[in-house]
Amino acid sequence: MSEVKKHEKVYDLAKDHFLGDFPPSLPIEKAYLHIGIYMGWIIENDMYSDFFQEEASTEIYRFKRREIGCIILAEIWEGALTHKLFNEQANLFTFYYYAGGIFKRDYTDILVKPLKTIYHVEDTWDNFDKMSLCISDRFAKWQELTHV
């Protein structure tokens, strides 16, 4: 649905994961999960851009109803987490939190610790809810610091 352009701010690409140190024993879809969890949080908090709303209104609706999971959500956008999907506030937070490496640390601490790699996490609503709570807490603290 989305083609990444050279001038776009790209926070993450699933392709970079499955072409990297991705475990060959796992399905490639697992490289999309962490991206989908973050996209899902953006959707749950209505922090997506007008562009994303226009392009993905059905997927947004279906995700909010929990009819599609995080992997499918990210696959629809070819695993590309880019600035054009988020509103201004979400981009500021994403630059700080996701691009700053805090999301990866939180994801590891909450979901990955007992597993071999980040790619072994399951696409469940329980895992989404755990990360969503964490991201919301980080967002609230970020808002206090930045007054955004």
Side-chain angles (χ1 to χ4, degrees), residues 63-129:
F63 185 83
K64 285 184 175 188
R65 290 175 47 99
R66 296 194 171 201
E67 293 177 1
I68 60 171
C70 296
I71 287 176
I72 291 172
L73 181 65
E75 282 181 321
I76 291 166
W77 289 90
E78 298 172 7
L81 198 62
T82 69
H83 79 283
K84 72 180 183 178
L85 304 179
F86 308 141
N87 68 22
E88 184 178 349
Q89 184 181 41
N91 268 305
L92 292 171
F93 176 66
T94 302
F95 183 77
Y96 160 79
Y97 181 64
Y98 199 101
I102 302 167
F103 172 82
K104 185 176 181 183
R105 270 197 327 262
D106 287 345
Y107 191 85
T108 299
D109 289 346
I110 293 167
L111 301 178
V112 180
K113 282 229 172 173
L115 306 172
K116 292 179 183 177
T117 70
I118 67 167
Y119 310 112
H120 285 82
V121 174
E122 293 299 320
D123 187 3
T124 66
W125 290 113
D126 184 51
N127 283 338
F128 172 76
D129 291 341

Side-chain angles (χ1 to χ4, degrees), residues 4-5 13 15 22 31 34 37-38 42 45 50 59-61 70 75 82 85 90 92 101 105 115 119 135 143-144 148:
V4 178
K5 309 273 192 264
L13 280 173
K15 181 171 65 173
F22 189 80
H34 64 286
I37 285 176
Y38 193 78
I42 293 289
N45 289 278
D50 291 339
E59 291 80 9
I60 290 168
Y61 177 76
C70 296
E75 282 181 321
T82 69
L85 304 179
L92 292 171
R105 270 197 327 262
L115 306 172
Y119 310 112
I135 299 167
Q143 282 184 302
E144 288 173 17
V148 174

